[in-house]
Amino acid sequence: MVAHRMVDVNGVRLHIAEEGQGPLVVLLHGFPESWRSWRHQFGPLADAGFRVVAPDQRGYGRSDHPDDVAAYSILHLVGDVVGLIQALGEEKAYVVGHDWGAPVAWHTALLRPDLVLGVAGLSVPPPFRGTEPPLTAMDKKFGGRFYWNYFNRPGVADAEFAKDTRTALRKFFYSASGDVPGGAKQPLVDPERGWLAAMPDPEVLPRWFTEDDLDALTESFSKGFTGALNWYRNLDRNWELTAPWHGALVTSPALYIYGDRDPVPAFPGTPEFIESLPDRMPNLRRKPLKLAGCGHWTQQERPAEVNAALIEFLRNCS
């Protein structure tokens, strides 16, 4: 059974879910999610002999939501993972992340390889620091319509998503899934209409995302979306803070999994970057695993395939 408790970490209180005994595996969710995005991984990983822990990351769910936008930088987020490993009485851990959790996992391995037994990223590939700040780059490329730039406008997306949280989340999950008709599209926003206006609203949820799942996720956003959106508002600050690691590679044993209908791996320049990963990363344990027909919500849409790949990777990291 999954147990729940609060842990003091890096100046904040984090809600964590945990199950199993053995080497520690930290599972890091993305936007707009919670610890429950890993609900299909707890049992299989625990049964495979691992101690599985998934926090609500800062700004999410029952964890603290700092008011200061600057408190959501990548250094704070990696610090939370480092502090969590130590608070759990462990010296090292495997770190696995999806969506925004993937950059946190990758950067934990990049900044503290001494603590990371292995790192896996779902949807978002390993970090590549470009030549200019990401918000600036996307603003130039898409005239301010890329969703990162929309999220960067103080209070705007916060209000749009909080107006009807359940509908917003239902649209998010369906629109980025492998179930939506058509291929992956660039997430561009009409700044006057907002992001949700162009998203289809399904009459029936995909089979992998139930009404109970939606209810629980909606409840986890009862404090609003600002904490989660503040992660995006640090994209340019993260680019500045990670300057010392420009060009550095993740050297820990690594795994990358993504869906071929996920819009994130289709971001500008990303398909070519994914193709180059086997040459860039000396410890990538297999070619990037591409799941046919899978959208953005990798471990929820394809739990059996993700679990099998994770367990094989974790068992063979050492």
Side-chain angles (χ1 to χ4, degrees):
M1 294 291 291
V2 177
H4 298 265
R5 62 187 171 105
M6 303 297 292
V7 180
D8 291 314
V9 167
N10 193 30
V12 295
R13 283 176 63 78
L14 298 182
H15 161 248
I16 67 167
E18 56 185 334
E19 182 179 0
Q21 295 182 337
L24 176 62
V25 180
V26 177
L27 303 176
L28 302 167
H29 67 79
F31 175 89
E33 299 179 87
S34 73
W35 72 269
R36 286 190 86 255
S37 69
W38 302 102
R39 61 194 177 280
H40 301 303
Q41 282 66 53
F42 275 88
L45 292 180
D47 289 345
F50 296 95
R51 181 187 183 187
V52 186
V53 173
D56 281 334
Q57 298 202 73
R58 67 166 64 199
Y60 285 86
R62 291 164 54 191
S63 294
D64 283 351
H65 295 226
D67 292 329
D68 185 4
V69 174
Y72 296 86
S73 78
I74 194 65
L75 298 187
H76 289 84
L77 303 174
V78 170
D80 290 349
V81 178
V82 172
L84 181 59
I85 294 170
Q86 296 170 345
L88 294 171
E90 303 286 352
E91 294 183 356
K92 298 186 178 185
Y94 300 95
V95 185
V96 181
H98 167 258
D99 184 76
W100 249 114
V104 179
W106 294 124
H107 278 91
T108 301
L110 185 66
L111 275 57
R112 290 302 304 271
D114 56 309
L115 301 181
V116 176
L117 296 167
V119 57
L122 282 59
S123 177
V124 180
F128 173 74
R129 186 176 180 276
T131 56
E132 62 181 338
L135 289 172
T136 302
M138 289 305 190
D139 186 47
K140 289 179 182 176
K141 191 168 188 67
F142 296 108
R145 297 184 62 219
F146 198 67
Y147 78 110
W148 293 355
N149 300 101
Y150 179 66
F151 285 3
N152 195 46
R153 297 166 64 187
V156 176
D158 320 46
E160 182 190 6
F161 303 156
K163 186 175 181 180
D164 184 344
T165 299
R166 197 171 194 277
T167 296
L169 292 169
R170 183 173 62 244
K171 286 188 168 188
F172 278 141
F173 272 73
Y174 179 66
S175 297
S177 75
D179 298 80
V180 72
K185 300 176 182 177
Q186 294 296 337
L188 303 182
V189 182
D190 181 335
E192 302 304 321
R193 299 176 66 214
W195 201 18
L196 298 175
M199 287 186 180
D201 192 357
E203 293 184 6
V204 179
L205 291 172
R207 57 179 176 76
W208 51 268
F209 190 64
T210 68
E211 295 290 342
D212 287 344
D213 294 332
L214 181 56
D215 288 342
L217 189 60
T218 301
E219 172 61 27
S220 76
F221 280 93
S222 60
K223 297 179 182 178
F225 288 82
T226 299
L229 291 167
N230 282 342
W231 290 44
Y232 291 90
R233 293 163 183 159
N234 278 276
L235 281 167
D236 282 0
R237 183 177 290 110
N238 292 343
W239 182 84
E240 296 171 358
L241 292 172
T242 56
W245 293 272
H246 188 86
L249 300 175
V250 173
T251 58
S252 302
L255 172 70
Y256 174 56
I257 306 173
Y258 69 108
D260 68 352
R261 303 199 67 200
D262 183 347
V264 173
F267 284 178
T270 306
E272 297 80 7
F273 179 63
I274 292 172
E275 286 292 321
S276 73
L277 285 180
D279 296 324
R280 290 175 178 266
M281 296 180 63
N283 227 347
L284 193 69
R285 290 305 174 94
R286 60 181 294 175
K287 290 179 62 178
L289 176 58
K290 181 164 65 174
L291 302 177
C294 181
H296 180 62
W297 317 104
T298 326
Q299 75 273 23
Q300 299 182 68
E301 294 186 50
R302 295 296 180 82
E305 291 163 276
V306 169
N307 292 345
L310 282 177
I311 291 169
E312 178 186 22
F313 170 69
L314 296 172
R315 285 177 168 168
N316 293 292
C317 266
S318 57

